[in-house]
Amino acid sequence: LLQIVGESMPQLERLDLKRCKLVQGHGLQCFKATQLKYLTLDSCHPMASERLFTQTWRQNKTLTVGADAEDHTAQASHHVSFLFPQLEHLELAFCSNIDDKYLFLLSKCAKNLNYISLRGCVNITIRGVHKLCTQIPSLKRVDVSFCPQVDVQLLLETFMCKAQSPAYLIFGVEDWTPCGLCCFESTHPEHKGLTFVL
């Protein structure tokens, strides 16, 4: 079905596969000729998001995305090919296989991204989130609620965030856990306008 849709709708801009447990991502490559800007893979089969990134790695065999990898000159000047280069909105909520290496990869190739939901991605840390936010200037909103390995206090300090809703007054920022009740906006000079859902 995905193959038929991808090949017959080249002008497609939105694809919502939320909670489609039977979709394992085999047909995602059929959408590479589309103008896809909005992709939702929330609570999908882990292989759906896995194939999204595997395809990118196959197209960029010299790409290094380890957490300790540095951007070498050759990599920095190399154009990174991505399955959906026009992608602006990506939802990967509750995709348990997503970790920092995927965020490092996204930081190198999803340069038009302005929203990403990583809600409930239990394996990501602040290292991956920081890399994503510092390498994609277009990014405006990042949902990292229910991500237990993200150090909330360090995130708020690093991006000089202030709360946008009164919910934090009840619990206090110093004890805040990423429960999705509040948005925090960065006041950092290099990241103004960037908002975190925590």
Side-chain angles (χ1 to χ4, degrees), residues 34-196:
T34 67
Q35 302 298 312
L36 206 63
K37 294 181 179 179
Y38 181 109
L39 177 62
T40 300
L41 296 174
D42 288 3
S43 305
C44 278
H45 191 287
M47 285 308 297
S49 53
E50 193 75 29
R51 290 185 196 282
L52 172 67
F53 293 103
T54 301
Q55 187 70 24
T56 303
W57 269 309
R58 285 180 180 162
Q59 293 175 356
N60 305 276
K61 294 182 178 178
T62 60
L63 189 62
T64 304
V65 292
D68 298 314
E70 296 294 331
D71 286 333
H72 300 297
T73 306
Q75 289 183 18
S77 61
H78 174 64
H79 172 70
V80 180
S81 177
F82 186 46
L83 192 58
F84 306 122
Q86 306 302 319
L87 201 63
E88 298 176 0
H89 184 110
L90 179 60
E91 296 187 33
L92 297 169
F94 300 101
C95 291
S96 58
N97 59 314
I98 298 297
D99 59 19
D100 287 350
K101 71 176 178 289
Y102 295 103
L103 302 189
F104 274 68
L105 179 60
L106 274 176
S107 74
K108 293 174 180 283
C109 62
K111 294 300 185 180
N112 291 310
L113 208 59
N114 57 49
Y115 173 86
I116 186 168
S117 173
L118 299 165
R119 182 182 180 91
C121 292
V122 298
N123 293 312
I124 65 168
T125 72
I126 191 169
R127 291 185 73 185
V129 175
H130 183 268
K131 183 74 170 178
L132 197 67
C133 295
T134 54
Q135 296 298 310
I136 305 180
S138 61
L139 202 55
K140 296 301 178 192
R141 194 172 182 89
V142 181
D143 186 342
V144 285
S145 54
F146 300 101
C147 297
Q149 292 196 60
V150 173
D151 186 327
V152 173
Q153 299 309 315
L154 185 56
L155 181 70
L156 296 178
E157 290 172 13
T158 301
F159 289 95
M160 303 168 58
C161 294
K162 63 177 182 181
Q164 287 186 314
S165 67
Y168 80 98
L169 295 173
I170 301 171
F171 303 100
V173 174
E174 62 280 352
D175 298 318
W176 195 263
T177 56
C179 56
L181 292 176
C182 191
C183 292
F184 293 85
E185 184 177 357
S186 173
T187 61
H188 192 287
E190 295 180 11
H191 304 289
K192 286 198 173 184
L194 176 61
T195 302
F196 296 95

